[in-house]
Structure formats: C-alpha cells, structure tokens
Amino acid sequence: QEQLVESGGGLVQAGGSLRLSCAASGLSFSNYAMGWFRAAPGKEREFVATLRASARVTHSADSVKGRFTITRDNAKNMLYLQMNNLKPEDTAVYYCAAETSGWATVLPGKYDYWGQGTQVTVSS
C-alpha cells in the first residue's frame, strides 16, 4: 500500500528553523518526482518546492526561495524540507506528494499520492 507520512512540524518563533521529513513506503520512490505543498487556514493548497527523481532539478516558490531547501534520499525513501528564517505567514499544514511521471511540477493536481500533513505554526 502506497503511503507518505510527514513529520517534523511544530511551533517555532519567527526566525527559527524546522526540518520536515516525509517517509515513503509501498511506491517506487526513486522514480518519482516529489513535492511539498502547504495549506493555510481558509486558503487553497499552494506549491512550496519540488524536485525530480534524480534530485538534479529543483524548483521553489518565490515566497520561500533562499529560506527553504528540498532534498531527498532515495536510498532511504525519504524527502526533506529544511525551513530556515521562518515567518508567521509560513504557518500552514505542510504536505508531501509524489508525482509518478517523474516531472517536477507546481500543480497539485498532477501529484498522485499525498501524505496526511504536518502542522507548522510560526509565532511572531
């Protein structure tokens, strides 16, 4: 059974850091593009970052460039999101997702598998 499980969320002060993890099981992780998305209260899910299966091509939203870094460890079936210099507007539920064609895309509708999400709250 395909499964993505996020962890690492929590409450942090503005300017702080968190590292989110996403553990994949039951799917061909090393062949899939992976992405991070987030949904703030009352807002639609939005793109955060993505990278191809090879991890050689990455793309991040302008709002997080220079602060967030997406990486993956194909040997461990793990996806990560290092978040630095967090801001209150980063508060959201963060989701990891897998895209089976291998093409990193910003469109959430193109992703085939999703985790349950992990809450990130940044206080001012």
Side-chain angles (χ1 to χ4, degrees):
Q1 181 179 357
E2 301 88 356
Q3 192 172 23
L4 298 172
V5 179
E6 302 94 337
S7 62
L11 174 63
V12 64
Q13 289 188 335
S17 298
L18 282 174
R19 187 194 195 202
L20 304 184
S21 299
C22 173
S25 59
L27 48 79
S28 299
F29 178 83
S30 62
N31 293 325
Y32 295 168
M34 298 295 297
W36 286 100
F37 293 80
R38 65 187 182 186
K43 295 186 177 181
E44 294 185 353
R45 193 169 300 189
E46 67 172 1
F47 166 75
V48 175
T50 184
L51 78 171
R52 287 190 184 176
S54 67
R56 293 176 182 174
V57 176
T58 65
H59 179 56
S60 300
D62 288 343
S63 59
V64 306
K65 279 182 180 177
R67 301 189 298 122
F68 291 10
T69 303
I70 184 172
T71 58
R72 66 191 297 165
D73 185 336
N74 286 341
K76 296 182 178 179
N77 285 359
M78 293 293 295
L79 178 73
Y80 305 100
L81 185 69
Q82 178 66 43
M83 305 187 296
N84 299 327
N85 190 22
L86 282 159
K87 303 176 181 180
E89 52 263 44
D90 294 319
T91 295
V93 177
Y94 283 72
Y95 301 89
C96 71
E99 199 279 322
T100 60
S101 75
W103 292 99
T105 174
V106 306
L107 301 174
K110 295 293 186 181
Y111 286 78
D112 303 283
Y113 302 105
W114 291 83
Q116 83 291 345
T118 186
Q119 176 70 48
V120 172
T121 303
V122 184
S123 63
S124 57

